[in-house]
Coordinates of all heavy atoms in Angstrom, one line a residue:
Chain D
F39 N 19.4 18.1 -6.1 CA 20.5 18.2 -7.0 C 21.4 17.0 -6.7 O 21.3 16.4 -5.6 CB 21.3 19.5 -6.8 CG 20.5 20.7 -7.2 CD1 19.9 21.5 -6.3 CD2 20.4 21.0 -8.6 CE1 19.2 22.6 -6.8 CE2 19.7 22.1 -9.0 CZ 19.1 22.9 -8.1
P40 N 22.3 16.6 -7.7 CA 23.2 15.4 -7.5 C 23.9 15.5 -6.2 O 24.6 16.5 -5.8 CB 24.1 15.5 -8.7 CG 23.3 16.2 -9.7 CD 22.5 17.3 -9.0
K41 N 23.9 14.4 -5.5 CA 24.6 14.2 -4.2 C 24.3 15.2 -3.2 O 25.0 15.5 -2.3 CB 26.1 14.2 -4.5 CG 26.6 13.1 -5.4 CD 28.1 13.0 -5.5 CE 28.6 12.0 -6.5 NZ 28.0 10.6 -6.2
K42 N 23.0 15.7 -3.3 CA 22.6 16.7 -2.3 C 21.3 16.1 -1.7 O 20.7 15.2 -2.1 CB 22.3 18.0 -2.9 CG 23.6 18.7 -3.5 CD 24.5 19.1 -2.4 CE 25.7 19.8 -2.9 NZ 26.7 20.2 -1.8
S43 N 20.8 16.8 -0.6 CA 19.6 16.5 0.0 C 18.4 17.0 -0.7 O 18.5 17.8 -1.6 CB 19.7 17.0 1.5 OG 18.6 16.4 2.2
L44 N 17.2 16.6 -0.2 CA 16.0 17.1 -0.8 C 15.7 18.5 -0.2 O 15.8 18.7 1.0 CB 14.8 16.1 -0.5 CG 14.8 14.9 -1.3 CD1 15.8 13.8 -0.9 CD2 13.3 14.3 -1.3
M45 N 15.2 19.3 -1.1 CA 14.8 20.7 -0.6 C 13.3 20.9 -1.0 O 12.9 20.7 -2.1 CB 15.6 21.7 -1.3 CG 17.1 21.7 -0.8 SD 18.0 23.1 -1.5 CE 17.2 24.5 -0.7
L46 N 12.5 21.2 0.0 CA 11.1 21.4 -0.2 C 10.9 22.6 -1.0 O 11.4 23.7 -0.7 CB 10.4 21.5 1.2 CG 8.9 21.7 1.1 CD1 8.2 20.5 0.5 CD2 8.4 22.0 2.5
M47 N 10.0 22.5 -2.1 CA 9.7 23.6 -2.9 C 8.4 24.2 -2.5 O 8.2 25.4 -2.4 CB 9.6 23.2 -4.4 CG 10.9 22.6 -4.9 SD 10.6 22.0 -6.6 CE 10.2 23.5 -7.5
A48 N 7.4 23.3 -2.3 CA 6.0 23.8 -2.0 C 5.2 22.7 -1.4 O 5.5 21.5 -1.6 CB 5.4 24.3 -3.3
T49 N 4.2 23.1 -0.7 CA 3.2 22.2 -0.1 C 1.8 22.5 -0.7 O 1.4 23.7 -0.8 CB 3.1 22.4 1.4 OG1 4.4 22.2 2.0 CG2 2.1 21.5 2.1
S50 N 1.1 21.5 -1.2 CA -0.2 21.7 -1.8 C -1.3 20.9 -1.1 O -1.1 19.7 -0.8 CB -0.1 21.5 -3.3 OG -0.1 20.1 -3.5
N51 N -2.4 21.6 -0.8 CA -3.5 20.9 -0.3 C -4.6 20.9 -1.4 O -4.8 21.9 -2.1 CB -4.0 21.6 0.9 CG -3.1 21.4 2.1 OD1 -3.0 20.4 2.7 ND2 -2.4 22.5 2.5
E52 N -5.3 19.8 -1.5 CA -6.3 19.6 -2.5 C -7.4 20.8 -2.4 O -7.9 21.1 -1.4 CB -7.1 18.3 -2.3 CG -8.1 18.0 -3.4 CD -9.5 18.3 -2.9 OE1 -9.7 18.4 -1.7 OE2 -10.3 18.5 -3.8
G53 N -7.5 21.4 -3.6 CA -8.5 22.4 -3.7 C -8.1 23.8 -3.3 O -8.9 24.8 -3.3
S54 N -6.9 24.0 -2.8 CA -6.4 25.3 -2.4 C -5.1 25.6 -3.0 O -4.4 24.7 -3.6 CB -6.3 25.4 -0.9 OG -5.4 24.4 -0.4
K55 N -4.7 26.8 -2.9 CA -3.4 27.3 -3.5 C -2.2 26.6 -2.7 O -2.3 26.5 -1.5 CB -3.3 28.8 -3.5 CG -4.2 29.5 -4.4 CD -4.0 31.0 -4.4 CE -4.9 31.7 -5.4 NZ -4.7 33.2 -5.4
A56 N -1.2 26.4 -3.5 CA 0.0 25.8 -2.9 C 0.8 26.9 -2.0 O 0.7 28.1 -2.3 CB 1.0 25.3 -3.9
T57 N 1.5 26.4 -1.0 CA 2.3 27.2 -0.2 C 3.7 27.0 -0.6 O 4.3 25.9 -0.5 CB 2.1 26.9 1.3 OG1 0.8 27.1 1.6 CG2 3.0 27.8 2.1
Y58 N 4.4 28.1 -1.1 CA 5.7 27.9 -1.6 C 6.8 28.3 -0.5 O 6.6 29.2 0.3 CB 5.9 28.8 -2.8 CG 5.2 28.4 -4.0 CD1 3.8 28.7 -4.2 CD2 5.8 27.7 -5.0 CE1 3.1 28.2 -5.3 CE2 5.1 27.2 -6.2 CZ 3.8 27.5 -6.3 OH 3.1 27.0 -7.4
E59 N 7.9 27.6 -0.6 CA 9.0 27.9 0.3 C 9.7 29.2 -0.2 O 9.6 29.6 -1.4 CB 10.0 26.8 0.3 CG 9.4 25.5 1.0 CD 9.0 25.7 2.4 OE1 9.8 26.1 3.2 OE2 7.8 25.6 2.6
Q60 N 10.4 29.8 0.7 CA 11.1 31.0 0.4 C 12.1 30.8 -0.7 O 12.9 29.8 -0.6 CB 11.8 31.6 1.7 CG 12.4 33.0 1.5 CD 12.9 33.5 2.9 OE1 13.0 32.8 3.9 NE2 13.2 34.8 2.9
G61 N 12.1 31.7 -1.7 CA 13.0 31.6 -2.8 C 12.5 30.8 -3.9 O 13.2 30.7 -5.0
V62 N 11.4 30.1 -3.8 CA 10.8 29.4 -4.9 C 9.8 30.2 -5.6 O 8.8 30.7 -5.0 CB 10.1 28.1 -4.4 CG1 9.5 27.3 -5.6 CG2 11.1 27.2 -3.7
E63 N 10.0 30.4 -6.9 CA 9.1 31.3 -7.7 C 7.8 30.6 -8.0 O 7.8 29.6 -8.8 CB 9.8 31.7 -9.0 CG 11.1 32.5 -8.8 CD 11.8 32.8 -10.1 OE1 11.1 33.4 -11.0 OE2 12.9 32.3 -10.3
K64 N 6.7 31.1 -7.5 CA 5.4 30.4 -7.8 C 5.0 30.6 -9.2 O 4.2 29.7 -9.7 CB 4.4 31.0 -6.8 CG 4.1 32.5 -7.0 CD 3.0 32.9 -6.0 CE 2.7 34.4 -6.1 NZ 1.7 34.8 -5.1
D65 N 5.4 31.6 -9.9 CA 5.0 31.7 -11.3 C 5.9 30.9 -12.2 O 5.6 30.6 -13.4 CB 5.2 33.2 -11.8 CG 4.2 34.1 -11.0 OD1 3.1 33.6 -10.7 OD2 4.5 35.3 -10.8
K66 N 7.0 30.4 -11.7 CA 7.9 29.6 -12.4 C 7.5 28.1 -12.2 O 7.6 27.3 -13.2 CB 9.3 29.8 -11.9 CG 10.4 28.9 -12.4 CD 10.8 29.2 -13.8 CE 12.0 28.4 -14.2 NZ 12.3 28.7 -15.7
F67 N 7.2 27.8 -11.0 CA 6.8 26.4 -10.7 C 5.3 26.4 -10.3 O 5.0 26.6 -9.1 CB 7.7 25.9 -9.6 CG 9.1 25.9 -9.9 CD1 10.0 26.9 -9.5 CD2 9.7 24.8 -10.7 CE1 11.4 26.8 -9.8 CE2 11.0 24.8 -11.0 CZ 11.9 25.8 -10.5
L68 N 4.5 26.1 -11.3 CA 3.0 26.1 -11.1 C 2.6 24.8 -10.5 O 2.9 23.7 -11.1 CB 2.3 26.4 -12.4 CG 2.6 27.8 -13.0 CD1 1.8 27.9 -14.3 CD2 2.3 28.9 -12.1
I69 N 1.9 24.8 -9.4 CA 1.4 23.6 -8.8 C -0.1 23.6 -8.7 O -0.7 24.6 -8.3 CB 2.0 23.5 -7.4 CG1 3.5 23.2 -7.4 CG2 1.3 22.3 -6.6 CD1 4.2 23.3 -6.1
N70 N -0.7 22.5 -9.2 CA -2.1 22.3 -9.1 C -2.4 21.0 -8.4 O -1.9 20.0 -8.7 CB -2.7 22.3 -10.6 CG -4.2 22.1 -10.6 OD1 -4.7 21.0 -10.5 ND2 -4.9 23.3 -10.7
H71 N -3.3 21.1 -7.5 CA -3.7 19.9 -6.7 C -5.2 19.7 -6.9 O -6.0 20.0 -6.0 CB -3.3 20.0 -5.2 CG -3.4 18.8 -4.4 ND1 -2.7 18.7 -3.2 CD2 -4.0 17.6 -4.6 CE1 -2.9 17.5 -2.7 NE2 -3.7 16.8 -3.5
A72 N -5.6 19.2 -8.0 CA -7.0 19.2 -8.4 C -7.9 18.2 -7.7 O -9.1 18.3 -7.6 CB -7.1 19.1 -9.9
S73 N -7.2 17.1 -7.3 CA -8.0 16.0 -6.7 C -7.2 15.4 -5.5 O -6.0 15.8 -5.4 CB -8.4 14.9 -7.7 OG -7.2 14.1 -8.0
L74 N -7.8 14.5 -4.8 CA -7.1 13.9 -3.7 C -6.1 12.9 -4.1 O -5.4 12.3 -3.2 CB -8.1 13.3 -2.7 CG -8.9 14.3 -1.8 CD1 -10.0 13.6 -1.1 CD2 -8.0 15.1 -0.9
T75 N -5.9 12.6 -5.4 CA -5.0 11.7 -5.8 C -4.0 12.2 -6.9 O -3.2 11.5 -7.4 CB -5.7 10.4 -6.4 OG1 -6.5 10.8 -7.5 CG2 -6.5 9.7 -5.4
L76 N -4.1 13.5 -7.2 CA -3.3 14.0 -8.3 C -2.8 15.4 -8.0 O -3.6 16.3 -7.6 CB -4.1 14.0 -9.6 CG -3.4 14.7 -10.8 CD1 -2.1 14.0 -11.2 CD2 -4.3 14.8 -12.0
S77 N -1.5 15.6 -8.1 CA -1.0 17.0 -8.1 C 0.0 17.1 -9.3 O 0.6 16.1 -9.7 CB -0.2 17.2 -6.8 OG 0.4 18.5 -6.8
T78 N 0.0 18.3 -9.9 CA 0.9 18.5 -11.0 C 1.9 19.7 -10.7 O 1.5 20.6 -10.0 CB 0.2 18.8 -12.3 OG1 -0.6 19.9 -12.1 CG2 -0.7 17.6 -12.7
L79 N 3.1 19.5 -11.2 CA 4.1 20.6 -11.1 C 4.4 21.0 -12.6 O 4.8 20.1 -13.3 CB 5.3 20.1 -10.4 CG 6.5 21.0 -10.5 CD1 6.3 22.4 -9.7 CD2 7.8 20.3 -9.9
T80 N 4.2 22.2 -12.9 CA 4.6 22.7 -14.3 C 5.8 23.6 -14.1 O 5.7 24.7 -13.5 CB 3.4 23.4 -15.0 OG1 2.3 22.4 -15.1 CG2 3.8 23.8 -16.4
V81 N 6.9 23.3 -14.8 CA 8.0 24.1 -14.9 C 7.8 25.0 -16.1 O 7.9 24.5 -17.2 CB 9.3 23.3 -14.9 CG1 10.5 24.3 -14.9 CG2 9.4 22.4 -13.8
T82 N 7.6 26.3 -15.9 CA 7.3 27.1 -17.1 C 8.6 27.8 -17.6 O 9.5 28.1 -16.8 CB 6.3 28.2 -16.7 OG1 6.9 29.1 -15.6 CG2 5.0 27.7 -16.1
S83 N 8.6 27.9 -18.9 CA 9.8 28.5 -19.6 C 11.1 28.0 -19.0 O 11.9 28.7 -18.4 CB 9.7 30.0 -19.4 OG 10.8 30.6 -20.2
A84 N 11.2 26.7 -19.1 CA 12.4 26.0 -18.4 C 13.7 26.5 -19.0 O 13.8 26.8 -20.2 CB 12.2 24.5 -18.6
H85 N 14.7 26.5 -18.1 CA 16.0 26.9 -18.5 C 17.0 25.8 -18.0 O 16.6 25.1 -17.1 CB 16.4 28.3 -18.0 CG 15.6 29.4 -18.7 ND1 15.9 29.8 -20.0 CD2 14.5 30.1 -18.3 CE1 15.1 30.8 -20.3 NE2 14.2 31.0 -19.3
P86 N 18.2 25.8 -18.5 CA 19.1 24.7 -18.1 C 19.3 24.7 -16.5 O 19.5 23.6 -16.0 CB 20.4 25.1 -18.8 CG 20.0 25.8 -20.1 CD 18.7 26.6 -19.6
E87 N 19.2 25.8 -15.9 CA 19.4 25.8 -14.4 C 18.2 25.1 -13.7 O 18.3 24.8 -12.5 CB 19.6 27.2 -13.9 CG 18.5 28.2 -14.2 CD 18.7 29.0 -15.4 OE1 19.4 28.5 -16.3 OE2 18.2 30.1 -15.5
D88 N 17.1 24.8 -14.4 CA 16.0 24.1 -13.8 C 16.2 22.6 -13.9 O 15.4 21.8 -13.3 CB 14.7 24.5 -14.6 CG 14.4 26.0 -14.5 OD1 14.6 26.5 -13.4 OD2 13.9 26.5 -15.4
S89 N 17.3 22.2 -14.6 CA 17.6 20.7 -14.7 C 17.8 20.2 -13.3 O 18.6 20.8 -12.5 CB 18.8 20.5 -15.5 OG 18.6 21.0 -16.9
S90 N 17.1 19.2 -12.9 CA 17.2 18.6 -11.6 C 16.3 17.4 -11.5 O 15.7 16.9 -12.4 CB 16.7 19.7 -10.6 OG 17.0 19.3 -9.2
F91 N 16.4 16.8 -10.3 CA 15.5 15.6 -10.0 C 14.4 16.2 -9.1 O 14.6 16.7 -8.0 CB 16.4 14.6 -9.2 CG 15.8 13.2 -9.1 CD1 15.2 12.6 -10.1 CD2 15.7 12.6 -7.8 CE1 14.7 11.3 -10.0 CE2 15.2 11.3 -7.7 CZ 14.7 10.7 -8.8
Y92 N 13.2 16.0 -9.6 CA 12.0 16.5 -8.9 C 11.2 15.4 -8.3 O 10.9 14.4 -9.0 CB 11.1 17.3 -9.8 CG 11.7 18.6 -10.3 CD1 12.5 18.7 -11.4 CD2 11.5 19.8 -9.6 CE1 13.1 19.8 -11.9 CE2 12.1 21.0 -10.0 CZ 12.9 21.0 -11.1 OH 13.5 22.2 -11.5
I93 N 11.0 15.5 -7.0 CA 10.3 14.4 -6.3 C 9.1 14.9 -5.6 O 9.1 16.0 -5.0 CB 11.3 13.8 -5.2 CG1 12.6 13.4 -5.8 CG2 10.6 12.5 -4.6 CD1 13.6 12.9 -4.8

Side-chain angles (χ1 to χ4, degrees):
Chain D
F39 291 104
K41 300 190 185 300
K42 296 293 184 182
S43 189
L44 283 75
M45 294 186 62
L46 179 66
M47 298 174 67
T49 303
S50 74
N51 291 290
E52 184 264 338
S54 61
K55 290 184 178 180
T57 301
Y58 290 81
E59 293 301 297
Q60 190 173 8
V62 178
E63 300 175 58
K64 61 181 180 181
D65 295 329
K66 172 76 171 175
F67 300 99
L68 300 178
I69 293 173
N70 182 277
H71 192 160
S73 76
L74 286 172
T75 59
L76 173 65
S77 176
T78 60
L79 168 68
T80 301
V81 183
T82 62
S83 186
H85 291 284
E87 58 266 28
D88 299 323
S89 299
S90 190
F91 193 48
Y92 292 89
I93 308 172

